Amino acid sequence: MALVVDAMGGDDAPRSPVRGALQAAADVPGPIELVGLPTAIEPLLQGAASGERIRVVAATEQIGMDEHPVEAVRKKRDASLVVAARRVKELGAEGALVSAGSTGAVLAASLLHIGRIPGVERPAIAIVLPLFTGPVVLLDGGANVDCRPSHLVQFGVLGRVFARVVLGIPEARVGLLNIGEEETKGNELTIAVHPLMRRHVPGFVGNVEGKDVFAGACDVVVCDGFVGNVLLKSIEGFAAALLGEIKRAAAASVKGKLGGWLLKGALSSLRARLDYRSYGGAFLIGVRGVVVVAHGRSDEVAMANAVRLAHRGVRGDLVASIGEAIQRLPEEVSSHAGS
Amino acid sequence: MALVVDAMGGDDAPRSPVRGALQAAADVPGPIELVGLPTAIEPLLQGAASGERIRVVAATEQIGMDEHPVEAVRKKRDASLVVAARRVKELGAEGALVSAGSTGAVLAASLLHIGRIPGVERPAIAIVLPLFTGPVVLLDGGANVDCRPSHLVQFGVLGRVFARVVLGIPEARVGLLNIGEEETKGNELTIAVHPLMRRHVPGFVGNVEGKDVFAGACDVVVCDGFVGNVLLKSIEGFAAALLGEIKRAAAASVKGKLGGWLLKGALSSLRARLDYRSYGGAFLIGVRGVVVVAHGRSDEVAMANAVRLAHRGVRGDLVASIGEAIQRLPEEVSSHAGS
């Protein structure tokens, strides 16, 4: 087993990936491989305590956040991300990839070099939302913007396995994101997929509306990647605007300032719970390896958590469990729901 | 001119619609017609100051929030909502409908009895979001869950006219809700519609992501009704969860409690700005009359604001302005973008 970290991905690379890997090595067993420029990585490892379980794998190139993902992955065959993905392919079910590079590039490298689990039509990005009621997995977070019904059925199956293996939720409730609770509500896609999910997705609880999601109505939320991505970015933008406004409102009067100061502890523990770092990133699931896409802004705490999550995926045999669950889906789901 | 209020729609009908109409009559010129059961409405009018400008129109039935919208509108020909819609049809551009009944029923009654403005393919629900950076119009909020490119082009045109006439924004910036800023990003629908909007929608500023919307990147946000509805309900649910959590966090310690108490004024002015009542509801635009759909939970303040908004639409000649703007769109938009 090995956890393979793209040491050159992310805004603060190689510092945060390397430091994060070191931090995680303190409590995660098994070797960690850091892929990237040895001359940039090695100085950061000097004198580190868990250094002996860390190995550096050389890669001379790197992919920038602004490059076209597919082109960059195809052209730069010695990019840290590409080398890391090939390494995970070698390792098979025993390997995991962690990168804070661009989501598009991680997606492209994983599809091209690691490949899909047999039977999985479309790997999906699973995002763990750290809600107040507990963690909720949303998928697809943006890998597949135009979906067929069979894709969404598979997302439900993938998400449920993920929730069990990575989040420790034994019997996850799976909801279909929709605009009404009744089976007949929705757009063409959700109306077509509802009966299929009812028949083929264990733990399916029916349609959920946006407001139900935040009230803890289910553990896994299924939607197409366009809707999922719009939703995630909107919530992010709204939260930032609202917290900023609370700050401004508090600063507008002496009374407010004092109140804000007294509330600081409560608000910052709240912010910490909403922090992307506590979950470490998104997963690309449905590929033949555990793939964690950390936020580009990840610091070493976030990177360490991403490595821990990756380890949980390998230890829980995420890839094999998904393979089995997908094999249990009848052929007809894909063929009937094809159009 | 007349503002026609469905006096039997909403959770608190006929009290809130009647009281709201009375409140609005104090500053809105022209007659207000209250449609519903005279025996239920008249007692509420007794002794009211602006009573002389209010007229009661009899309707013996009413449509409940749980009824199937289209069926109820077809069957109950003497429902307050249906009678009100027919009355607005008679009044033409001089009429406005205000109802706190179910959105689906208001939509059905308006399409069936008032009808579309010539050239408008699909009337849309426009929601005014009271953001911190200023009001933003989002459409479609849920009337059309499956859209063709030509529909979204028209939404952009409708939204811009609406922003000018009702919100007083002279040159509204129109954004296409998408998952990336580049023209090539998106799903099939948004990729197809982008160049059409660039060519045919005045004030088009390109793609906007969810986070840009809340940072004030545009005045009008265009999306299909499925995405719009999911977004609106998610934000609503998230805001409720976040404010509840802040409350809980504050209540968890003596320091927090004191801080919360001191911040109360600031937080409640914040809540007031986010209040649906300050904008009074949603508009159904593209039909041959001004139609305001107030929230089912509207109290008299919200209903009064809804009546004021309706008046602003009539006074600003919303229907004629939309008709002209739609006529200026070349034929090709509909035919080319047809598939």
Side-chain angles (χ1 to χ4, degrees):
Chain A
M1 192 251 266
L3 307 172
V4 184
V5 177
D6 169 13
M8 313 307 282
D11 298 349
D12 188 38
R15 222 186 64 97
S16 290
V18 173
R19 294 271 174 86
L22 280 171
Q23 208 182 98
D27 47 81
V28 162
I32 297 177
E33 301 183 358
L34 290 167
V35 185
L37 259 188
T39 51
I41 298 171
E42 274 152 7
L44 293 163
L45 289 174
Q46 254 145 37
S50 8
E52 76 283 359
R53 279 199 289 107
I54 292 192
R55 199 168 80 86
V56 177
V57 177
T60 56
E61 296 178 288
Q62 68 187 87
I63 294 173
M65 294 303 259
D66 298 327
E67 292 187 67
H68 187 282
V70 179
E71 274 174 31
V73 165
R74 280 187 198 280
K75 272 190 202 157
K76 295 185 167 175
R77 304 198 46 89
D78 204 41
S80 56
L81 173 62
V82 173
V83 173
R86 283 202 304 259
R87 178 71 185 121
V88 171
K89 170 151 197 162
E90 276 171 37
L91 291 160
E94 291 293 292
L97 170 64
V98 178
S99 176
S102 95
T103 306
V106 178
L107 184 62
S110 302
L111 290 175
L112 202 63
H113 294 293
I114 307 180
R116 289 174 297 153
I117 295 170
V120 171
E121 292 187 68
R122 297 280 192 95
I125 291 173
I127 308 275
V128 184
L129 301 170
L131 300 188
F132 308 114
T133 45
V136 170
V137 188
L138 181 143
L139 75 172
D140 178 26
N144 310 285
V145 291
D146 292 295
C147 288
R148 296 185 311 189
S150 59
H151 302 153
L152 266 65
V153 172
Q154 291 207 345
F155 295 166
V157 172
L158 296 177
R160 193 162 195 258
V161 172
F162 175 86
R164 176 166 55 76
V165 170
V166 177
L167 302 178
I169 302 171
E171 299 285 339
R173 297 158 302 157
V174 179
L176 172 64
L177 188 60
N178 210 332
I179 60 168
E181 282 174 26
E182 307 87 337
E183 178 155 358
T184 53
K185 284 271 176 111
N187 59 7
E188 281 172 18
L189 177 64
T190 56
I191 289 174
V193 82
H194 187 110
L196 293 172
M197 290 188 77
R198 181 149 315 284
R199 229 173 312 145
H200 302 296
V201 178
F204 183 59
V205 295
N207 293 339
V208 292
E209 295 188 71
K211 60 178 166 16
D212 308 326
V213 170
F214 296 96
C218 58
D219 308 298
V220 175
V221 181
V222 171
C223 57
D224 73 52
F226 185 86
V227 170
N229 198 270
V230 164
L231 175 58
L232 291 166
K233 286 178 180 160
S234 300
I235 293 296
E236 192 186 331
F238 179 76
L242 187 63
L243 288 173
E245 203 62 22
I246 289 174
K247 225 171 172 176
R248 251 192 301 281
S253 72
V254 176
K255 207 172 109 179
K257 263 180 211 151
L258 181 59
W261 180 75
L262 287 166
L263 259 183
K264 214 169 183 175
L267 283 178
S268 69
S269 85
L270 183 67
R271 206 172 291 128
R273 282 181 59 193
L274 280 173
D275 196 335
Y276 69 95
R277 295 184 304 176
S278 58
Y279 283 97
F283 275 72
L284 176 64
I285 55 180
V287 290
R288 264 200 247 227
V290 173
V291 177
V292 181
V293 194
H295 202 293
R297 279 183 285 129
S298 294
D299 60 13
E300 62 181 272
V301 176
M303 287 304 296
N305 280 331
V307 174
R308 288 186 191 106
L309 279 178
H311 173 253
R312 227 189 276 174
V314 177
R315 193 191 55 195
D317 228 348
L318 182 64
V319 171
S321 307
I322 286 177
E324 284 158 26
I326 288 291
Q327 292 308 327
R328 277 198 295 273
L329 276 178
E331 280 282 319
E332 51 162 296
V333 176
S334 318
S335 43
H336 277 199
S339 79
Chain B
M1 193 250 264
L3 307 172
V4 184
V5 177
D6 168 12
M8 313 307 282
D11 299 347
D12 189 37
R15 221 185 65 96
S16 289
V18 173
R19 294 272 173 85
L22 280 172
Q23 208 183 97
D27 48 81
V28 162
I32 297 177
E33 301 183 359
L34 290 167
V35 185
L37 260 189
T39 51
I41 298 170
E42 274 152 8
L44 294 162
L45 290 173
Q46 252 145 36
S50 8
E52 77 281 0
R53 279 199 289 107
I54 292 192
R55 200 169 79 86
V56 176
V57 177
T60 55
E61 297 178 286
Q62 68 187 86
I63 295 173
M65 294 304 259
D66 298 328
E67 293 188 65
H68 188 282
V70 178
E71 275 175 28
V73 165
R74 279 187 199 279
K75 273 192 202 155
K76 295 187 167 174
R77 304 198 47 88
D78 205 42
S80 56
L81 174 62
V82 174
V83 173
R86 283 203 303 258
R87 178 72 184 120
V88 170
K89 168 146 200 168
E90 276 170 36
L91 291 160
E94 292 292 293
L97 169 65
V98 178
S99 175
S102 95
T103 306
V106 178
L107 184 63
S110 302
L111 290 175
L112 202 65
H113 294 292
I114 306 179
R116 288 175 297 152
I117 296 170
V120 170
E121 293 186 66
R122 297 277 192 96
I125 291 173
I127 308 276
V128 183
L129 302 170
L131 300 187
F132 309 115
T133 46
V136 170
V137 188
L138 181 143
L139 73 173
D140 177 26
N144 310 284
V145 290
D146 291 295
C147 289
R148 295 184 313 188
S150 59
H151 301 153
L152 266 64
V153 173
Q154 289 206 346
F155 295 166
V157 172
L158 296 177
R160 194 164 195 257
V161 172
F162 175 86
R164 176 167 55 77
V165 169
V166 176
L167 303 178
I169 302 170
E171 299 286 339
R173 296 158 303 157
V174 180
L176 172 64
L177 188 60
N178 210 331
I179 60 168
E181 281 174 28
E182 307 87 338
E183 179 155 357
T184 53
K185 285 271 177 109
N187 59 6
E188 281 172 19
L189 176 64
T190 57
I191 289 174
V193 81
H194 188 111
L196 293 172
M197 290 188 77
R198 183 149 315 283
R199 230 174 311 145
H200 301 297
V201 178
F204 183 59
V205 295
N207 293 338
V208 292
E209 294 188 70
K211 59 180 167 18
D212 307 327
V213 170
F214 296 96
C218 58
D219 307 299
V220 175
V221 181
V222 171
C223 57
D224 73 52
F226 185 86
V227 170
N229 199 269
V230 164
L231 175 57
L232 291 167
K233 286 179 180 159
S234 300
I235 294 296
E236 191 186 330
F238 179 75
L242 188 63
L243 288 174
E245 203 61 21
I246 289 175
K247 225 174 174 173
R248 251 191 303 282
S253 73
V254 176
K255 208 171 107 178
K257 263 180 210 152
L258 181 59
W261 181 74
L262 288 166
L263 259 183
K264 214 170 185 177
L267 284 178
S268 69
S269 86
L270 184 67
R271 205 171 292 127
R273 282 181 59 193
L274 281 174
D275 196 335
Y276 70 94
R277 296 184 303 176
S278 58
Y279 283 94
F283 275 72
L284 176 65
I285 56 180
V287 291
R288 263 200 248 225
V290 173
V291 177
V292 181
V293 193
H295 202 293
R297 280 182 286 131
S298 294
D299 60 13
E300 62 182 273
V301 175
M303 287 304 296
N305 279 333
V307 173
R308 287 186 192 105
L309 279 178
H311 173 253
R312 227 190 276 174
V314 177
R315 194 190 55 194
D317 229 347
L318 182 64
V319 171
S321 306
I322 286 177
E324 284 158 26
I326 288 291
Q327 291 310 325
R328 276 197 296 274
L329 276 178
E331 280 280 322
E332 50 160 298
V333 176
S334 319
S335 43
H336 276 199
S339 80

